[in-house]
Amino acid sequence: MATDAPPPAKETHQLPTTEEFTEVQESAEFGELRRSYRSFAFPLTVGFIAWYLLYVLLSNYAGDFMGTKVFGNINVALILGLAQFLTTFLIAWWYARTAAARFDPKAEAIKSRMEGGA
């Protein structure tokens, strides 16, 4: 089906120069964005890796504890293993909410200024 409408106009964005990238990277706003991201992501990552390694170490060296039946054929190892999945999904959900609320608006403001030359 043909139409007489013209194709959509292509917006042209002027790419920032190396100096502009360096200027933004050294700005206080970008530094604050980087600090807030790192203060959220790094402790969360370290905590999750420690939790995972605890599970692995308990599985290897505390077989009696991990084999303790909680109810029926459900033991501590199964509960902690399922908790690994649960915490993975909770961390992903928490990160998505935090990024949408705190990081994305700041990053979008920086990006739009760089692309728009404002």
Side-chain angles (χ1 to χ4, degrees), residues 10-11 19 33 35 42-43 63 85-86 88 95 98 113:
K10 293 182 182 178
E11 292 184 32
E19 291 78 22
L33 174 61
R35 259 188 309 283
F42 287 176
F85 285 101
L86 178 64
T88 300
Y95 176 80
T98 303
R113 266 199 317 280

Side-chain angles (χ1 to χ4, degrees), residues 19-73:
E19 291 78 22
E20 289 171 324
F21 274 113
T22 304
E23 182 181 321
V24 168
Q25 185 179 7
E26 293 171 352
S27 72
E29 184 181 22
F30 185 79
E32 174 57 33
L33 174 61
R34 187 173 45 225
R35 259 188 309 283
S36 64
Y37 172 76
R38 287 178 177 173
S39 69
F40 179 79
F42 287 176
L44 201 57
T45 302
V46 169
F48 183 77
I49 290 172
W51 159 231
Y52 175 74
L53 289 177
L54 174 67
Y55 177 74
V56 171
L57 290 173
L58 286 173
S59 295
N60 283 323
Y61 300 109
D64 292 339
F65 170 70
M66 295 295 270
T68 303
K69 302 244 187 222
V70 177
F71 53 90
N73 285 329

